[in-house]
Amino acid sequence: MAPNQGAGEVVLRATGISKGFPGVKALTDVDLEVRRGEVVALLGENGAGKSTLIKILSGVYSLDKGEIELEGKRVKFDLPSEAKAAGIGIIHQELNYVATVSVAENIYMGDIPKKGLVIDYRRMYRGAREIMAKIGVDIDPKMPIGRCTVAQKQLIEIAKVIANDVKVLIMDEPTSALNDVETENLFRFIGQAKSMGIAIIYISHKLDEIFRIADRVVVLRDGCVTGRLDAKTATREALIRTMVGRDLTDMYPKTPGAPKGVAIEVRDLTNDALFGVSFAARKGEIFGVYGLLGSGHQDLGAAIFGQTIVRSGEIWIDGKRVKINDPLDALKNGVAYVPAERKTEGLVLNNTVRVNMLSAFYAKNSRRRFTNKRFEAGITDKWIKNLSIKTPSGETRVESLSGGNQQKVVLSKCLELEPEVMILNEPTRGIDVGAKAEIYRILDDLCRKGKCVIMITSEMPELLTMSDRIMVMHAGRIGGFLEARGATQEDVLKYAIGG
Amino acid sequence: MAQNSNTPARSRLRRALTTGDASSLITVSTALVVLLTFFSLASPYFFKPTVFLNIGMYAAIVGTLACSMTFINVSGNIDISGGSQIAVVGMIAAVLIRSGDVPWWVGMIGGILTGSMCGMLNGFFITVFKLNAFITTIASMQMLRGIAYLISNGQTLVISDQHFKFIGRGYLGPIPFTLVVLIVFYIIFYFVSRYTVFGRTIYMIGGNPQASFLSGIKVQRTKFILYVINGTMAGFAGVMLASQSGAGLPMAAPNANMQALSAVILGGAGLSGGRGTIGGTFIGVMVLCTLNTGMTMLSISSFWQDVIVGLVLLISVSIDAIKSGGLKRKI
Amino acid sequence: MAQNSNTPARSRLRRALTTGDASSLITVSTALVVLLTFFSLASPYFFKPTVFLNIGMYAAIVGTLACSMTFINVSGNIDISGGSQIAVVGMIAAVLIRSGDVPWWVGMIGGILTGSMCGMLNGFFITVFKLNAFITTIASMQMLRGIAYLISNGQTLVISDQHFKFIGRGYLGPIPFTLVVLIVFYIIFYFVSRYTVFGRTIYMIGGNPQASFLSGIKVQRTKFILYVINGTMAGFAGVMLASQSGAGLPMAAPNANMQALSAVILGGAGLSGGRGTIGGTFIGVMVLCTLNTGMTMLSISSFWQDVIVGLVLLISVSIDAIKSGGLKRKI
Amino acid sequence: AETAPIRVGFANINEKGSFGKMVLQNMKKVAAERGYEIICVDNNSDGATAVQNADTLISMDIDIMIEFNVDQSVAPVIMEKFNAASIPVIAIDIAHEGATFFGADNAFAGTLAGETAGDWVNKNWGGEIEYVVLIVQPVSGPAVAPRVKMFPEGIRNKGIAFEDSQIVEIDGQNDAQFTQARFADFLLAHPDAKKIAVATINDVAASGVYAAAETAGRAENIVLVSQNCTADFVEPMYAVEGKTNWIASIAYFPNRYGEFVFNIVDKLVAGETLEPAYYIDHIAITWDNIKEWYPIDNLPWAGL
Ligand SMILES: Nc1ncnc2c1ncn2[C@@H]1O[C@H](COP(=O)(O)OP(=O)(O)OP(=O)(O)O)[C@@H](O)[C@H]1O
Ligand SMILES: Nc1ncnc2c1ncn2[C@@H]1O[C@H](COP(=O)(O)OP(=O)(O)OP(=O)(O)O)[C@@H](O)[C@H]1O
Ligand SMILES: [Mg+2]
Ligand SMILES: [Mg+2]
């Protein structure tokens, strides 16, 4: 392999890594090396084995075969604490925080500063503040982390790792919950880390990021390395082809909407996070909702759908005022909702694909009191085929599916309801490009069938390309409306920051 | 997919056998077979139809409670007040029947409804205030036991009604009536768990209440219903026990709840919710009751009985845990 | 952020008072004050230093157990085998002391170490096989109780050593020795929970074991240590009890575990982990022991006592739940 | 012609106490001496268990039943089963209608305890009593309740007068330490009481009572009489050589139950007519007679 300019000696070298789970071969003979001051991007579809690989490097999983060398010495990590002590810092894909303790304690989890036998609280709080400052964050270190927003939690997750002296920094989709400003701050930090000679492994499904910060790209597919590319010279198309094994011609298959009248109207919706939000979304359009974190856009879907408590406001569907006290009322009124967190809100992980797909169906069609396996299998197979869900069968437990495929199960659960109004909250978070394109195709389809799609998102590209109209939120209120056609990122951001 | 070296069917079978409900079912069934074989060899009196019918007759109390308790556990909850509920039920039934003002069956129904009401009490606190189920039922366990004593000021109330006797002590041909009732209950609960939307719902809210709520399931209402069902089943168990012992006993069923819970756990419904089967619980009940009868027949000292019951529980959950990779798991 | 209309300091105070640990502390302290006031008004003998010292003296057994059990609960686990551990400890101490071969303090230390070993047994199954803590301790509760009986074949073992008697019945000036021990324990545990890394680690693994593990905390080792500590504290409690009753009793402490658990829950450490304080538990213990003493002084029937204890538990957790918005929560 | 030995079923009260233990030991010993086959099970002090054990024993083809069940209310059910199987029953301590009774006379034992205390009070406290405390135990069932409930009557038999309002009941919950704490509470609530007569249902509870009194420094203020005369009473009595206010325990001689019961069994087998009831001669064991009945070098529970 051609040595990269500016990169030093190899810090971490993994050779011949193999790992199997019951019934699954997650990694086969994978080699990976990272040098001082270098960013290696790890790319691949959902379920390709990226997270598994880095969990092996950080002592979370034990490996079946292969070797790991750190600075030329053979190492074996049985526990995360050992990897951490050896200088490997990792930010996992899932947020890992303890909601009941303070921000500072989360940051220093595992090695709280001591003075003698006793915790040095002063040093801990001061240190926490300094570390957060490094990535441009200002949060009260004494606050219980449970009160932070998702983005703040993600940033704290990053702070947690850089609190230690790391030789290798591994980041698994660190930006999936961050907005552009926060992402910029992170990249600035990565730049500093590089110059300090830290070796970095970076995982993301956002290809733009890869081009911005990576030096090299290693692509995984089905647990094998299918390509090693130089980030400076590789093209987007080449990356996608190596990842998914085919060309992806149309990433955003949006056909212009032909709206036919109001599907849902929300008047003066008010609760803890929303203050008098009113809007109307039409049949046959994708109604994009954008906001910076904390602007209330994340709370909008849950409020309409009856998940959270609404203090006042009215919801009108198809010209009739409806009362939605809980999700069942919403379902019965033709509203379906894809929540932001599929694992905690969308899926019963220890149950099968089939049961998950039909969960809302039976709730909505409450006259069906008996289950019918054949009937269900038909529906399940239909969606597995239509959405090309990668699963051994409908009887597989969803916990063993990859993130993207889990997301498709949530989608099919809602699609089977044939809703008039479909609300999606961050529908493509953590989803690979291939699956993303498929989800966009589904949304476009719905829209063409005259359904109303409300897409709540923090991802600017999908907002601008998939929406017909855009509502931007700011501080729990509406910042403004835009026609998506011709709108630019700057227009959207102007409303988002309340300008 | 690349990962499958075996044929899909074989690997699916293997997976089914090594993980989840099927695995527990195999463990507990094996335990039952081992015990039956052992006792048959060890005691000349054990391997006889009358003995088995007898085991079934007395299994009815714990078995009835364990049946609905399976649902409670599958839904991710717990009830440890079952024994106290049984005691209150027996006392109320005895008071009604002894009053002489009402026919025996009114006493029976009164007892069963008392059970339902105890269940409502638990369900109310758990679903309205959203209290933890364990905490709620610790409290109601104490309160209901106190009430059982208060009803008669600590006296036992002998029931001499001849009809009422039949419930716990009667036979249909050679089969004890309680065993028939028990089997009917298990068939109904099995059917509900496998073929109804309600049964499905229990597994879902046990697996992920939040996701179930967002799927339009009335989580709190379902939980409330489950506690009422569990109380009603405690009602049936209490009536059977009162009939079996011919009296309302305020100290009745001191260990019934732990035994039922042990049976449920043996049967594979742990405490984390979303897992477990009615069939597993049935076999779990049989394991415990066979153990009791077999050890009694062998005159094993009751100290050893405690130790052995604890060991059986511990070993079988350990086997389950090892089969599903517990040893290798780091957390 | 937009939602704060108050000043930060005021809103922080209000937040502290209405949510989490502080809220429970207020509820349970209020309960204590109410009870003290009530009993002082209702009985002329109640409001006296000797009475309070006496409450403290007998609170030591349950209090000692509840102290370490708080850590177990905060770490998201549970132990229901404490009463059986106490019984085994008392029996071993009695056997050693009665043997006459060793001085009394060897018996004491032997008893305490027996407790540690019981804790190791629980810890082993919970951390090596990754068994559910409740299930494990249900099993060990039965096994250890059986073992307590087996040690002496069910006999009470009278201990007449005069030195040993001091532990449970002695006074330092006017203060019962057990109360001194209890207070020392609570000070140590309070200090550990607030000011040591180990203490904070308990809160972390209770709040999110997965995250703690990934952050480099040795979750299983910590849990193991917690069970050993809990066993050791059961050892202290068992020795105090053996000394207090002057005998090793195989049936000792039948309700100690439930009482300790109730105290811990009253004190605000629920069962979901990550919450609870040592101070809260201390007050919880005092509430229960005050209730017992006060009700005895008023000659309230023991049936009512059960009902009242259950009610106090239920009401105080309900108040906590309501204050933290349980009524309004949809799920 | 000699056939198989006669099979005797024995359902014991509760092997978890030394009382039941001694009964069991003597039953086994005597059965072996006299050539009976004995099958022993444990009723665990629980009526429902006793009912189940009856069926188990019947299915094991016993010829004669010795039933030691403490729950009066399930007696009819048990008897119905044995009658249906035509198995004669000897019931211990609790009357089972249709069975031959052997054992304790609970009311007599309670009265005897009271009379023993009464004699002591007449001698030491000039016949005056301020309180009579009964440590009750509802969980043990109503059948054994007279062992303490008859205590006041026994005292009155000795010419000592007190009002019913001077009688206090405390539930010991079958837990020595709990009993101890509650009796300590009682003492605190009655700081000036100097003459308290206490009765307990067994020696374990009494040990709690006495420990509480000692700890409070008020052992002099009580006179305590308990029941069963087990190690819990005998050992401390020897340890202090009679210098204690726990003056007596009523003996039931569980270590000789086997002997007594098999005398009845022998008569039954020989076809003799039986009396409806055979009672134990309860004796109040005090320091004066303890060496006669429970010599320290030959205690009945020594070999357990
Ligand atoms: N704990 C586990 N148990 C069983 N199988 C697992 C486990 N973790 C991973 N796998 C298997 O390994 C494969 C690779 O998963 P991995 O998480 O590494 O994918 P990924 O590349 O990180 O995907 P994504 O982009 O969705 O994060 C999965 O398809 C899954 O089958
Ligand atoms: N019990 C399991 N059995 C089989 N595979 C599993 C199991 N648990 C997890 N996996 C696999 O592990 C992989 C990694 O899971 P992980 O928790 O890292 O998130 P993910 O599925 O990659 O989700 P996302 O990308 O949406 O965050 C998944 O792709 C899944 O295929
Ligand atoms: Mg991943
Ligand atoms: Mg993943």
Side-chain angles (χ1 to χ4, degrees), chain C residues 8-315:
Chain C
R10 254 180 66 201
S11 86
R12 196 171 324 138
L13 180 67
R14 213 192 41 209
R15 224 188 297 135
L17 294 184
T18 52
T19 64
D21 290 338
S23 160
S24 313
L25 209 56
I26 291 172
T27 313
V28 69
S29 306
T30 311
L32 185 58
V33 171
V34 168
L35 288 177
L36 289 175
T37 314
F38 173 76
F39 288 126
S40 300
L41 295 176
S43 163
Y45 303 102
F46 185 80
F47 197 77
K48 287 192 300 193
T50 49
V51 172
F52 296 136
L53 292 173
N54 199 53
I55 292 177
M57 176 162 191
Y58 292 103
I61 313 297
V62 167
T64 302
L65 196 59
C67 186
S68 54
M69 201 180 269
T70 309
F71 278 7
I72 297 272
N73 276 37
V74 169
S75 79
N77 290 278
I78 195 170
D79 190 350
I80 59 165
S81 66
S84 302
Q85 294 181 36
I86 286 178
V88 174
V89 166
M91 294 308 289
I92 295 285
V95 166
L96 288 173
I97 293 171
R98 282 165 58 102
S99 74
D101 302 334
V102 294
W104 66 273
W105 52 269
V106 174
M108 180 186 77
I109 292 175
I112 294 168
L113 292 181
T114 303
S116 315
M117 266 154 49
C118 295
M120 277 182 210
L121 175 86
N122 283 330
F124 174 81
F125 281 94
I126 292 168
T127 60
V128 175
F129 296 136
K130 323 285 183 304
L131 298 190
N132 176 291
F134 188 71
I135 296 177
T136 307
T137 56
I138 280 184
S140 68
M141 173 186 74
Q142 299 183 54
M143 285 168 56
L144 293 172
R145 183 65 69 178
I147 289 172
Y149 279 104
L150 280 171
I151 288 170
S152 69
N153 221 336
Q155 285 273 56
T156 305
L157 300 177
V158 177
I159 305 173
S160 2
D161 187 286
Q162 287 305 313
H163 299 284
F164 186 73
K165 269 192 180 165
F166 179 80
I167 303 170
R169 300 192 215 170
Y171 283 83
L172 297 176
I175 317 283
F177 181 66
T178 55
L179 180 56
V180 175
V181 173
L182 185 71
I183 288 173
V184 170
F185 280 145
Y186 273 85
I187 291 174
I188 295 174
F189 274 72
Y190 177 80
F191 177 81
V192 169
S193 76
R194 292 295 297 262
Y195 299 110
T196 70
V197 173
F198 179 74
R200 299 314 296 170
T201 303
I202 300 167
Y203 284 83
M204 289 177 188
I205 68 174
N208 187 343
Q210 180 72 25
S212 308
F213 171 70
L214 292 174
S215 307
I217 290 172
K218 300 206 164 107
V219 177
Q220 302 301 346
R221 197 175 68 179
T222 308
K223 276 207 259 182
F224 185 80
I225 294 172
L226 286 179
Y227 275 94
V228 176
I229 292 176
N230 196 46
T232 309
M233 294 294 277
F236 281 105
V239 165
M240 284 193 270
L241 188 134
S243 164
Q244 222 162 52
S245 39
L249 305 169
M251 70 294 265
N255 304 315
N257 204 89
M258 271 305 158
Q259 291 202 345
L261 194 56
S262 300
V264 171
I265 291 168
L266 272 174
L271 292 163
S272 42
R275 277 195 60 200
T277 57
I278 292 290
T281 297
F282 186 79
I283 301 177
V285 170
M286 290 305 137
V287 165
L288 288 184
C289 293
T290 304
L291 254 181
N292 276 336
T293 295
M295 292 193 298
T296 306
M297 285 195 162
L298 296 181
S299 299
I300 293 174
S301 121
S302 62
F303 313 146
W304 276 113
Q305 296 197 11
D306 283 350
V307 176
I308 291 169
V309 168
L311 263 182
V312 167
L313 186 59
L314 207 50
I315 291 174

Side-chain angles (χ1 to χ4, degrees), chain A residues 84 97 105 119 121 325, chain C residues 194-195 200 208 215 330:
Chain A
K84 186 171 170 181
Y97 59 90
E105 282 177 294
I119 296 176
Y121 277 107
N325 280 324
Chain C
R194 292 295 297 262
Y195 299 110
R200 299 314 296 170
N208 187 343
S215 307
K330 290 191 178 179

Side-chain angles (χ1 to χ4, degrees), chain A residues 21-22 24-26 44-53 55 61 93 172-173 205 400-404 430 432, chain B residues 3:
Chain A
F21 293 108
V24 183
K25 193 92 178 72
E45 288 178 289
N46 292 123
K50 307 179 294 291
S51 298
T52 306
L53 178 59
K55 281 178 181 167
Y61 292 155
Q93 185 171 3
D172 195 351
E173 302 189 29
H205 290 297
S400 68
L401 265 51
S402 83
D432 70 43
Chain B
Q3 60 260 33

Side-chain angles (χ1 to χ4, degrees), chain A residues 18-27 52 56 62-65:
Chain A
S18 295
K19 171 77 181 170
F21 293 108
V24 183
K25 193 92 178 72
L27 292 173
T52 306
I56 285 172
S62 38
L63 42 70
D64 297 345
K65 232 172 67 195

